[in-house]
Amino acid sequence: MRAEQPAPVTVEETSEILIVGDSITHASVGDYSWRYFAWQQLRSAKADVDFVGPERDPFVGRGSTWRPRYSDADFDQDHAATWGDRIAFQPLHDRTALMTTYRPDVVVLALGANDLGWMEMDPHDVLPWTRAWLVEARRLVPDVDIVLVDVPWTTSADARTYNSLLEDLAAELDDSRARVIVAAAAHDYQMGRKNGTGDTYDAMHPNTRGQVKIAAAVTDALAELGVGSRYPRPLRFPAEGPRVRPQIQGRSSTTTAKWRWSVPPGTTSFDVWLQRQGKRWVRADRSRSINTYRVKDPQRCEAQTLRVRSRKGWTLAGRDMTTRSLTLRVGPKVSGRATLRGAKPRTRGVAVSWARTRGACAYVVRAVRVDNQGQRIVAQSVVTASRRSTVVRGVRSRTKVRVQVRAMGARNATRWSKTRVVRPR
């Protein structure tokens, strides 16, 4: 299907847009926010707009050590949205101050979810407060246009009723000199699930898909006011979840392997994948609440490889945010220097033998050629700890090479053995 690309509509003067909302609009640390996607579309449409408001940062929970950062800071971050705000009982932003300070051309009003949910108000009781907000805003700035964003809470009967009432209110108050229209954010919006599907990362807040859908509804409404153009269809969604890759490190002992990783901004849990030596990858833990993982009493020298991906609520980060895979082994350390017993020429190879090294998990044997271009490894072989000899293949006939061996322990390696010079037949 060919993407819809409406012709941009450019306004002659800068349109100042005041976005007033709650946590759905505010967004939390690590999110893009729907304001980001709306801004990108407005900029793409060459619309001359300025987001205004007293706030800039996303929400960061009390006591958090994260810096207030978005997934991408490349947008006009000014806004008047606050986590927990409502329109009925003690709003957190003073309407009069907002309107008189910024005198916006357009107000995007996205409130009501907390009144219906947290405050458990009847939608018919919330509507008069919304009406009063609009009437007073018009009194302060008579020609202001208003976009009412419906509540994207599609599993709530009260929210559906309230959204219907918003349509009626917009039809009643809409005027050719001061428009009132509705942004249908709830259209085609799907509440999230614990399996990670849907448009929210928890019971209310939009993930990246949800943010794109709300932004599309708002920019469509702004286009109806002559600001910018409609959002292109089909909608395109960036990769989900926290957009900072965790950094992983690990340490093992004689009995235990333990990994630890960093916590990207906005991350609430992690999915952990583990691969045991010779086995397939398995998801060892889903939605792990701590940033460590321990394997107790694995077999000595057995490779345990771990990788991790972040979650925000129910939403798993994109695959590109998976940590590097880190392999650990348990067992004693090896020390000293490996002992090379013999190195005899073979046809295009070298037969090598060595002494047992206590605690070794494997041995590495290499043949090194030294010439006027320097030292180059021409052949190398890794063998299990149970063996004491091997034939290193791939060495050219009559090529003089230096042969060495080293023992690999679970957590370190010995020094390379003394060198023997061999010229294969």
Side-chain angles (χ1 to χ4, degrees), residues 12 16 20 25 37 40 60 89 129 133 188 209 294 334 341 356 361 395 405 425:
E12 295 181 357
E16 295 194 340
V20 183
T25 298
F37 295 108
Q40 297 300 327
V60 181
F89 180 71
W129 292 91
W133 209 106
D188 195 35
R209 287 180 58 88
R294 183 192 302 267
V334 291
R341 295 277 192 206
R356 175 180 178 272
C361 296
V395 182
V405 64
R425 296 194 291 269

Side-chain angles (χ1 to χ4, degrees), residues 67-137:
R67 292 184 295 109
R69 57 177 292 176
Y70 295 95
S71 282
D72 187 344
D74 183 22
F75 73 109
D76 188 339
Q77 299 170 17
D78 296 330
H79 65 90
T82 303
W83 204 270
D85 204 0
R86 53 264 175 195
I87 200 163
F89 180 71
Q90 296 182 349
L92 301 179
H93 279 111
D94 184 276
R95 174 185 53 213
T96 300
L98 289 176
M99 297 304 295
T100 56
T101 299
Y102 299 103
R103 303 196 67 81
D105 299 292
V106 181
V107 170
V108 177
L109 187 64
L111 290 172
N114 287 320
D115 302 89
L116 298 168
W118 176 34
M119 305 297 295
E120 298 184 346
M121 294 181 64
D122 185 278
H124 294 86
D125 294 331
V126 178
L127 191 70
W129 292 91
T130 306
R131 178 195 300 273
W133 209 106
L134 269 61
V135 170
E136 179 63 11

Side-chain angles (χ1 to χ4, degrees), residues 205-217:
H205 300 100
N207 57 21
T208 303
R209 287 180 58 88
Q211 292 161 23
V212 170
K213 289 185 176 182
I214 296 171

